[in-house]
Amino acid sequence: MSANYGINLKTTTMHKIPQPILLLLLLPLCLIACHTGNGSETITGNAAAPLRSSRYHADSLRFLAATEPLYDQRRERETIPYLDSIFLLPASLNPDAPQHSDTLSTAEGRLLCNRALRYLMVSYNLLIDFEGGYRHLDSLQRLHLPFLERYCLRGLLTAKAQMLMPLDRHAEALQCLDQAMKLARTEDSIAAPLPSGLLARAQATGRLECPENDSYWSAAAGITYMGVDSASTRAEQAFLRVIDIARHTGFRGGLYPHAIARLADIYLHQGKYEQSIALCRQAIASTPSDKPDEQGQYIAAENLTEAYRRLGLYDEALRYCAIVTDAPKDFEILNNLRGRSYINKAAVLAEMNRSADALVALQQADSCFNRTGNDYYKLQAALERAHLLTLQPDSLEAGLRIFTTLEGQIPAHRQAFYLYYYGSACAQAGQYSRAIPLLESAVTESENISERLMAHQAARLLTECYRHTGRFALLADFLPRYQALSDSIASDAKIRQLAAANIRFETEKKEQENRALTAEVALKDSRLRTTLLVGTLCLLLAAGIIIWVVMRHRAIRIRQEAAATLLREQEAQLHSLIRDRQQLNDRNLDLVRQLSDIQATHENTCNLDSIMESLQQSLFSKEDAERFRQNFSAVYPTALNRLRSRCPDLTYSDELFCMLAMLQLDNFEMARTLGISKSSVSKTRYRIRIKLGLPEGADADTEIRKVMSSKE
């Protein structure tokens, strides 16, 4: 649970806010306070908080954490005894106890008591028992507890002031707030920055206001000032203190976004548009991302919508209005804020001459207020709708009828708008006598709430009504006042024009910087894409080359393997032919031996020499010889060409002998293959040696192989 939302008073002026608005705004924000955060955050404050003693954790669990289920069950009254018990704890604390001991230190007791005061304020707001809350807080003060008077009196006075505000006891509330802010100035404070070591030591000993408590109660005082004080000076000083705390300590939690959004609201009504817009943007930027229901950013967005509307920057106004209208719809508590933003959106659209869209926005506002049962804002939406209808000639009568039905129902806070809208419609309808009293009251009421532009417009219409009705004496008396309003509006218009020009210049400058950054980012992206594309193409090209090389190598290897296989097959065929030739020669020799035996037993036999000659001629048939040469040429493609180039006179038989020598056959194998005797082999070798001119003493077969091989 967080008590950061215990206070919220949205107002468009610095005058006293009507009690119905206070009740409608305090109750939902207190519901948010009771249903945000978790137990650990409640006990320890936040993730960056220093470690506390075991006593501090035990007391927090026993009292503060025990109230959370009661808030969830809407049993707020039962939380009060738990919270009262916390104020008794400091009676037994040890001021000199170490930070992490089992004894409650002064700083820890101070933190517990201030949180108890916050929760007590939340409880009475949820109960809408402001009278009971004031009596309870006042009784605590009258007890004169030393610890509370020394360390928590400022928070106690601020909480009392908030209880007095909805009771319309504004003078007493102002007195409490002034006393609280005086305590803030006289106590040890952070008006000047301290070294980190001294700051930590001062906080640990309790002699320096804890930044969390100081920031919270300063913001609470400023917000309460806005509800009870007709001037903005004291509220402004309280909010400036919150900013100083953030500057000196870095603490931007709690009500910090809320406070600077309220300060921006003050500056907006003072005509300090640029300062107001800067603070609102800071409020939006400083809203914690883990708290989407944080009030600060929505109040800042409303202020920005109003500021840009006054400056005529309608697109920016609609953009910031959408922050609230497009807020998550599961946060039912935001419906009042969302509905109010739809009313602001309708005002912007009306100035853009988009009356139909403005009426749709008002219907959306009604839908939000119907869910919350907020009759006050329903009246405000009805008032704006009637004004929009009077701006359209064909709906003027319908608008006048609505104004008639609203008479006597509009609260004092919106009387100026009602009188101006109604009087303007009557003047537009030509009902000048009826419009004059309305516009006279509108001028006075508008000046009272610092709406000078509306007062000037009402005064202009009033002068026209005086002229049309012939009331020239009244017109003469009113002209000095009208002239003063015109001069004031002219001055305001110059301020707005200058602010709008500065904001447009800054906006255009930022847009140019954004465009330059966008172009630079686009250029870098383009370069990166180009680099990635070129790199990818290079990788693909390298991969393609690698794949091509691998495939080529594989193809070459396959071709080489195929060629080697073919060569082996051809070599096998060569040797097969030689074996066949040798087997044939062996059979011929067997036949010769058989014939020799027959010749030895018979006188009349054939001539063996002629038979051997015929057998020799049939050893290599023509087809076998050609096939042998083809296979040899396939295995040794250039061998015969080299042999013939060395000696063209070699015969067919000589070439056959040289081919057998190339195959490294010995004399016996050659004789068997050629079907001749070993002596014939030697003679043939000698004859070839002569023809080739081989050196004497060298091995003829080796020399023949050298001639036929490519190594020569």
Side-chain angles (χ1 to χ4, degrees), residues 262-554:
R262 297 293 188 183
L263 181 60
D265 192 17
I266 294 173
Y267 287 161
L268 176 61
H269 287 87
Q270 292 176 352
K272 301 176 181 179
Y273 298 103
E274 295 177 63
Q275 293 165 278
S276 176
I277 289 172
L279 283 175
C280 288
R281 289 176 175 171
Q282 184 181 352
I284 293 174
S286 62
T287 300
S289 59
D290 59 341
K291 292 184 179 179
D293 57 341
E294 178 69 44
Q295 296 291 306
Q297 67 171 337
Y298 297 134
I299 296 171
E302 282 189 303
N303 291 336
L304 285 170
T305 302
E306 177 66 14
Y308 283 122
R309 183 188 69 80
R310 294 188 181 191
L311 296 175
L313 304 175
Y314 300 122
D315 291 337
E316 287 294 302
L318 291 176
R319 183 166 72 87
Y320 283 102
C321 185
I323 292 178
V324 187
T325 57
D326 296 344
K329 299 189 184 307
D330 54 335
F331 291 104
E332 189 66 23
I333 204 67
L334 296 178
N335 279 325
N336 282 332
L337 286 172
R338 189 181 291 112
R340 198 165 60 214
S341 292
Y342 278 122
I343 294 177
N344 295 337
K345 181 178 181 180
V348 176
L349 293 172
E351 293 191 14
M352 297 172 68
N353 296 320
R354 295 168 56 183
S355 299
D357 294 335
L359 289 172
V360 172
L362 289 176
Q363 289 178 353
Q364 292 172 313
D366 284 334
S367 176
C368 294
F369 299 140
N370 286 334
R371 285 196 290 270
T372 59
N374 194 319
D375 294 331
Y376 172 80
Y377 283 126
K378 285 182 182 179
L379 286 174
Q380 184 176 341
L383 181 61
E384 297 296 333
R385 183 180 294 103
H387 177 58
L388 280 175
L389 291 174
T390 59
L391 298 178
Q392 303 176 23
D394 56 344
S395 303
L396 181 58
E397 290 298 327
L400 285 171
R401 286 194 297 271
I402 295 176
F403 283 125
T404 303
T405 59
L406 293 177
E407 189 172 357
Q409 300 182 43
I410 302 298
H413 183 60
R414 301 294 297 180
Q415 274 295 322
F417 295 90
Y418 172 74
L419 294 168
Y420 167 67
Y421 291 162
Y422 196 4
S424 175
C426 291
Q428 188 177 349
Q431 302 174 12
Y432 302 112
S433 298
R434 185 181 177 185
I436 287 174
L438 294 171
L439 292 173
E440 287 175 343
S441 300
V443 172
T444 303
E445 292 293 334
S446 299
E447 288 181 320
N448 289 339
I449 62 174
S450 302
E451 289 287 348
R452 290 192 297 271
L453 180 60
M454 187 167 65
H456 176 261
Q457 292 172 342
R460 179 181 57 79
L461 290 173
L462 184 58
T463 57
E464 293 181 4
C465 291
Y466 284 150
R467 182 175 58 83
H468 282 290
T469 57
R471 302 179 186 183
F472 298 109
L474 292 175
L475 177 60
D477 293 339
F478 185 71
L479 279 177
R481 186 178 179 185
Y482 175 63
Q483 186 61 45
L485 284 172
S486 298
D487 294 341
S488 176
I489 290 302
S491 176
D492 290 346
K494 290 180 181 178
I495 293 174
R496 285 197 300 271
Q497 290 173 359
L498 180 61
N502 290 337
I503 291 171
R504 286 193 184 96
F505 174 76
E506 292 296 330
T507 303
E508 291 176 359
K509 183 179 178 181
K510 288 182 179 179
E511 288 178 352
Q512 289 178 354
E513 292 176 354
N514 291 335
R515 285 195 294 269
L517 290 174
T518 303
E520 184 178 355
V521 171
L523 179 60
K524 289 182 179 179
D525 289 343
S526 177
R527 289 177 177 174
L528 180 60
R529 286 195 297 269
T530 303
T531 303
L532 289 175
L533 180 60
V534 172
T536 303
L537 291 176
C538 290
L539 288 175
L540 291 175
L541 180 61
I545 293 174
I546 292 172
I547 292 173
W548 179 80
V549 170
V550 171
M551 295 300 293
R552 178 176 174 79
H553 178 71
R554 181 182 178 186

Side-chain angles (χ1 to χ4, degrees), residues 699-707:
D699 183 61
D701 291 354
T702 302
E703 295 298 328
I704 290 172
R705 285 194 291 273
K706 288 182 180 180
V707 171

Side-chain angles (χ1 to χ4, degrees), residues 568-593:
R568 286 194 297 271
E569 291 176 353
Q570 291 172 342
E571 286 181 348
Q573 290 179 1
L574 282 175
H575 291 289
S576 177
L577 287 172
I578 292 172
R579 285 195 301 273
D580 293 341
R581 181 74 174 87
Q582 291 174 350
Q583 290 174 1
L584 182 59
N585 183 68
D586 292 339
R587 287 197 297 271
N588 289 339
L589 290 176
D590 289 339
L591 289 173
V592 170
R593 284 194 297 272

Side-chain angles (χ1 to χ4, degrees), residues 109-118 151-152 155 209 213 217:
R110 187 177 191 173
L111 187 60
L112 277 175
C113 288
N114 275 281
R115 287 187 178 175
L117 282 173
R118 288 195 226 171
Y151 298 115
C152 305
E209 184 70 72
N213 295 329
W217 293 122

Side-chain angles (χ1 to χ4, degrees), residues 7 14 154 158 161 173-174 176-185 189-191 209 211-229 231-248 251 253 255-264 266-267 270 279:
I7 301 174
M14 287 308 301
R154 181 177 164 211
T158 306
L174 278 173
C176 289
L177 290 172
D178 290 342
Q179 189 177 354
M181 293 308 296
K182 184 179 179 180
L183 287 172
R185 289 190 293 270
S189 65
I190 55 166
E209 184 70 72
E212 176 186 346
N213 295 329
D214 195 358
S215 177
Y216 183 90
W217 293 122
S218 297
I223 295 170
T224 312
Y225 267 130
M226 292 183 72
V228 299
D229 194 8
S232 62
T233 306
R234 287 179 283 198
E236 181 179 354
Q237 292 302 316
F239 294 139
L240 288 174
R241 180 176 177 84
V242 175
I243 295 176
D244 287 339
I245 293 168
R247 183 184 300 116
H248 294 143
F251 180 79
L255 291 174
Y256 175 77
H258 205 139
I260 59 176
R262 297 293 188 183
L263 181 60
I266 294 173
Y267 287 161
Q270 292 176 352
L279 283 175

